[in-house]
Amino acid sequence: MLRKCPQCQRLLPDGDAREPEGTRLESVESIRRLVEQAGPAAHPTPAPPKPQPEVTDDGIPLFHPRQRPPLALLCIVDDGPEGGEWIRIRVPEVTIGRAEGQILIPHDEAISGRHCAIVRVATQGRWEWRLRDLGSSNGTFARAAGAILRPQQEILVGACRFRYELPADAPPTDAEPVEAPARNVTRAWQVPSFQGLAKGVPALVELTARGEGERHPLAGPEHWIGSSPEQCDIVVRNDPFVSKRHAQLSCDHQGRWQIRDAKSRNGTWLRIQEITVKSLAEFQAGEQRFLLRIPSRDD
């Protein structure tokens, strides 16, 4: 006996109870029942952690090459508060410049075409890394915690430059480090021998784009550079990168002037011709700052 399909009106045998083919939509209630019947999903058992080799802390240093020359790490510091691009130096010399060299900074007009170089040299059976200025117009500056000033030494504080000058008739000064006095020995009292006290005094001269600016005579035993007129006698105005008390100038018992950074945020920088980098150095070419790191190599 035949019957009509209620949806398509086709004639179907009476015993054929199949539903017409097509997309079947599940109700929300039926889906919920199926999920409850299936129970919680089975999660695969995580693999056991890979065992780490046991290391005995017996004072043995980590492996490092002893025959080949060491590499150096150079960071081109970002303009932001931290971070930068790290480069591994494996060749004897790398030049930094605006137009020539392996590292180009073309957008900084204060950088010379060939500005400075990082050079690896062998001396007394050991390798050293040196930072060398290549006769740049605006100089290469290294960040310093303190140093004895040489005549015509240029100093960078924030964006302001100074030059340390002696009187024309002052005797030359020795820039060798001062020997520390022997322990428990009192040094005889001495009057600081300010150079040319009767003939003139040293000065710190501001350097501007138009030439020499204000001269600051170093007439006393101590002077401070900073942005605060209340705390400093050499005041740097309108420079947001200069701390209130940025650096200290003082004269030692031999009449030599030295500068010490007062833990300023942006540092005190000295113009260099060539320096040897032992472990870490920050330097600046134009307005671009760099960080040079020499990994330690224990004997």
Side-chain angles (χ1 to χ4, degrees):
M1 185 175 180
L2 300 178
R3 65 181 181 85
K4 287 185 178 181
C5 175
Q7 296 183 14
C8 62
Q9 302 300 317
R10 288 190 301 129
L11 294 177
L12 298 175
D14 191 29
D16 193 349
R18 292 178 302 172
E19 295 289 338
E21 296 180 358
T23 302
R24 181 183 179 188
L25 299 179
E26 298 281 0
S27 67
V28 175
E29 189 63 32
S30 61
I31 294 175
R32 183 180 293 112
R33 285 197 303 270
L34 290 174
V35 171
E36 291 175 353
Q37 293 172 4
H43 295 284
T45 303
K50 185 178 180 180
Q52 298 294 326
E54 294 185 3
V55 177
T56 302
D57 186 9
D58 54 1
I60 300 299
L62 291 175
F63 170 80
H64 60 263
R66 298 176 62 87
Q67 301 299 322
R68 68 161 173 81
L71 59 80
L73 301 174
L74 178 67
C75 179
I76 306 173
V77 179
D78 289 340
D79 295 343
E82 60 183 12
E85 177 186 358
W86 284 95
I87 299 172
R88 286 171 171 79
I89 301 177
R90 300 181 176 91
V91 293
E93 182 171 342
V94 168
T95 300
I96 300 172
R98 194 181 73 252
E100 300 179 32
Q102 291 80 13
I103 299 176
L104 299 179
I105 313 292
H107 60 290
D108 192 331
E109 295 183 353
I111 295 180
S112 296
R114 295 179 73 251
H115 195 102
C116 60
I118 300 167
V119 184
R120 186 183 69 212
V121 296
T123 174
Q124 298 180 354
R126 298 179 64 90
W127 295 100
E128 290 183 350
W129 286 98
R130 296 178 183 176
L131 173 63
R132 179 181 299 164
D133 184 77
L134 299 178
S136 62
S137 299
N138 295 311
T140 301
F141 288 79
R143 188 168 185 168
I148 295 175
L149 297 178
R150 298 175 181 270
Q152 305 301 307
Q153 174 72 63
E154 290 189 20
I155 305 165
L156 184 64
V157 175
C160 185
R161 289 195 187 197
F162 296 93
R163 184 175 62 231
Y164 170 69
E165 291 187 356
L166 292 177
D169 53 357
T173 58
D174 183 9
E176 293 299 321
V178 181
E179 293 186 5
R183 183 175 297 179
N184 298 327
V185 175
T186 302
R187 175 183 291 155
W189 181 83
Q190 292 175 305
V191 177
S193 56
F194 302 116
Q195 297 99 327
L197 191 58
K199 303 176 183 178
V201 294
L204 210 60
V205 182
E206 292 187 31
L207 302 178
T208 69
R210 297 182 297 273
E212 292 186 1
E214 185 177 356
R215 298 179 68 88
H216 303 275
L218 304 179
E222 179 181 284
H223 298 269
W224 282 89
I225 306 173
S227 62
S228 172
E230 293 78 19
Q231 303 181 55
C232 303
D233 53 326
I234 303 176
V235 181
V236 180
R237 297 178 174 85
N238 303 320
D239 191 331
F241 306 119
V242 176
S243 300
K244 291 183 178 180
R245 298 185 81 187
H246 198 104
Q248 179 193 40
L249 290 161
S250 60
C251 186
D252 64 15
H253 71 284
Q254 297 183 18
R256 301 177 304 181
W257 282 91
Q258 51 191 321
I259 188 167
R260 294 188 183 278
D261 184 75
K263 297 182 179 179
S264 63
R265 178 168 190 179
N266 292 305
T268 301
W269 306 70
L270 303 180
R271 186 168 182 169
I272 58 99
Q273 296 299 321
E274 181 173 307
I275 58 172
T276 299
V277 180
K278 298 296 185 181
S279 58
L280 188 68
E282 293 181 71
F283 66 96
Q284 180 170 329
E287 286 191 311
Q288 179 63 56
R289 292 189 171 180
F290 301 85
L291 185 65
L292 179 60
R293 178 171 172 261
I294 312 300
S296 62
R297 304 185 81 185
D298 299 328
D299 292 332

